[in-house]
Amino acid sequence: MKQTTSRICSQCGYQNAGDANFCLKCGAKLSAADDYIMVPHSSDLSFPLTGLDLTDDEIAQTKRFVITQATTIPTGYRSAGLVFAESDVAPQAGQKAAWEDLMKHLMALLLAKHYNGCAHIVLQPQPTNPSQLCLYGEALVAQPQV
């Protein structure tokens, strides 16, 4: 399987070469802890977390989020109401950058509001600016086990 390793700056989120010792954008020191395996045409949800100032507990919490387009709420969760996230990157940055920005904003919202995830996700152009993306969904909170 074709893959490369990049060093993603934990300060600014810039994607540096896999052997970089310092970020080319902000100058922050990089190490093997900043290594990120890049697979062509795909990624995972940890990539948008770069650039967010998260504690180790918050990072662990993001790995437990339930994010789905399913039309039913997953067992063990209940709705906490509707949520949305917008991309504020310039349209010329491309859809990948817009998606990463959307996910970063969604993750920040879920953490700040103590939600456990998001269901019924719909991705569409922003109503006021069709060249940018917007994500709508239903916030999830875990139901207490009886």
Side-chain angles (χ1 to χ4, degrees):
M1 173 173 55
K2 184 177 179 178
Q3 65 185 34
T4 60
T5 300
S6 292
R7 288 202 170 165
I8 307 296
C9 179
S10 60
Q11 301 298 310
C12 71
Y14 186 77
Q15 180 179 333
N16 296 277
D19 60 351
N21 292 318
F22 295 93
C23 178
L24 291 175
K25 184 173 181 184
C26 73
K29 184 161 179 51
L30 301 173
S31 69
D34 300 307
D35 286 356
Y36 186 85
I37 296 172
M38 308 296 285
V39 178
H41 308 292
S42 61
S43 185
D44 58 27
L45 289 180
S46 64
F47 191 84
L49 298 179
T50 61
L52 292 178
D53 187 22
L54 301 178
T55 66
D56 290 341
D57 287 342
E58 288 171 327
I59 292 170
Q61 187 178 348
T62 65
K63 295 182 186 324
R64 294 188 300 269
F65 283 155
V66 172
I67 299 176
T68 180
Q69 285 186 299
T71 57
T72 58
I73 294 176
T75 303
Y77 297 90
R78 66 176 172 79
S79 173
L82 299 177
V83 293
F84 77 96
E86 296 178 321
S87 168
D88 58 4
V89 299
Q92 59 269 28
Q95 286 197 350
K96 178 179 179 282
W99 173 251
E100 290 169 355
D101 196 51
L102 274 174
M103 292 310 297
K104 179 170 70 171
H105 293 163
L106 178 63
M107 295 288 186
L109 172 68
L110 296 177
L111 285 168
K113 298 285 192 167
H114 304 288
Y115 295 139
N116 299 108
C118 190
H120 308 192
I121 288 181
V122 176
L123 185 66
Q124 62 188 39
Q126 287 184 12
T128 57
N129 187 352
S131 64
Q132 292 185 316
L133 296 174
C134 190
L135 178 147
Y136 297 92
E138 191 168 356
L140 299 175
V141 291
Q143 289 183 330
Q145 294 188 357
V146 182

